């Protein structure tokens, strides 16, 4: 099934600081991009399994910010902050992600949305951490690779449900 294909790979130059997660979603690129960039959608799927999101502020534009809290299934709250650095709708988003504005440990991510076949989209999240140690901590302590995969699975499930509801109308 195309919707279940995932890949994880890194570029040689930054491999020790990088996480790359890719997944094919059985939906048109414009719909996947919309689900990734509009708050009315994000709040339904963002985060790993069992997590919920509370948004404090959201402005999707270059230089805009998304300030939110991820609530873990164990009751732990994780403050989060994203600045949208570059937006090329519906192909690519570059962002800076940390716990708070001016977080010295913030990492850079590029999210690309590429057509895959007639009606699917390959989404790739390429994240580069400032240091190998921060990348390793994200992987070991926060399970960033599995969490990223689960987040894209949640996006795929949400988009599939949105499409199903759209065809029932």
């Amino acid at each position: 099934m195309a919707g279940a294909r995932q890949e994880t790979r890194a570029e040689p130059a930054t491999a020790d600081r990088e996480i790359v997660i890719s997944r094919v979603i059985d939906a048109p690129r414009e719909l996947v991009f919309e689900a990734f960039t509009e708050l009315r959608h994000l709040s339904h799927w963002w985060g790993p399994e069992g997590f919920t999101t509370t948004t404090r502020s959201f402005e999707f534009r270059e230089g805009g910010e998304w300030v939110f809290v991820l609530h873990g299934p164990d009751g732990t709250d994780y403050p989060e902050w994203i600045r949208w650095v570059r937006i090329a709708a519906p192909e690519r988003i570059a962002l800076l992600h940390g716990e708070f504005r001016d977080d010295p440990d913030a990492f850079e991510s590029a999210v690309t949305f590429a057509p895959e076949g007639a009606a699917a989209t390959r989404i790739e999240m390429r994240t580069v951490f400032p240091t190998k140690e921060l990348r390793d901590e994200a992987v070991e302590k926060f399970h960033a690779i599995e969490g990223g995969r689960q987040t894209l699975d949640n996006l795929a499930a949400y988009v599939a449900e949105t499409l199903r509801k759209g065809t029932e109308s």
Side-chain angles (χ1 to χ4, degrees):
M1 177 174 154
R5 288 183 291 172
Q6 292 187 359
E7 293 177 17
T8 304
R9 61 180 173 74
E11 293 295 321
T14 57
D16 66 339
R17 298 186 295 123
E18 189 172 78
I19 296 172
V20 180
I21 299 168
S22 177
R23 188 187 200 294
V24 173
I25 296 177
D26 292 323
R29 175 169 69 168
E30 290 73 16
L31 181 61
V32 177
F33 189 87
E34 177 184 318
F36 202 96
T37 60
E38 292 186 12
L39 185 57
R40 67 188 176 107
H41 297 302
L42 275 169
S43 60
H44 294 284
W45 65 266
W46 184 267
E49 290 175 21
F51 283 73
T52 59
T53 303
T54 300
T55 294
R56 304 280 187 236
S57 64
F58 183 86
E59 188 175 10
F60 185 71
R61 63 169 180 78
E62 289 187 8
E65 296 180 351
W66 180 22
V67 180
F68 59 102
V69 178
L70 272 178
H71 307 285
D74 64 356
T76 303
D77 288 341
Y78 301 92
E80 302 285 334
W81 167 87
I82 288 176
R83 176 179 296 132
W84 311 108
V85 177
R86 295 242 189 287
I87 300 167
E91 297 95 22
R92 179 177 163 79
I93 302 167
L95 58 95
L96 189 61
H97 188 161
E99 292 182 10
F100 50 87
R101 183 181 294 127
D102 299 322
D103 181 350
D105 296 335
F107 51 86
E108 299 173 0
S109 291
V111 183
T112 56
F113 305 80
E116 179 100 353
T121 303
R122 175 172 294 280
I123 184 169
E124 180 180 273
M125 295 190 311
R126 177 177 302 276
T127 301
V128 179
F129 292 83
T131 66
K132 176 187 182 316
E133 292 73 24
L134 287 170
R135 185 244 186 233
D136 292 348
E137 178 184 33
V139 170
E140 294 162 16
K141 183 177 178 184
F142 298 108
H143 311 287
I145 293 172
E146 184 56 31
R149 288 180 180 151
Q150 289 175 8
T151 297
L152 290 185
D153 287 347
N154 291 343
L155 171 59
Y158 175 77
V159 169
E161 181 69 12
T162 300
L163 282 176
R164 188 185 62 73
K165 285 181 181 176
T167 59
E168 291 176 356
S169 304

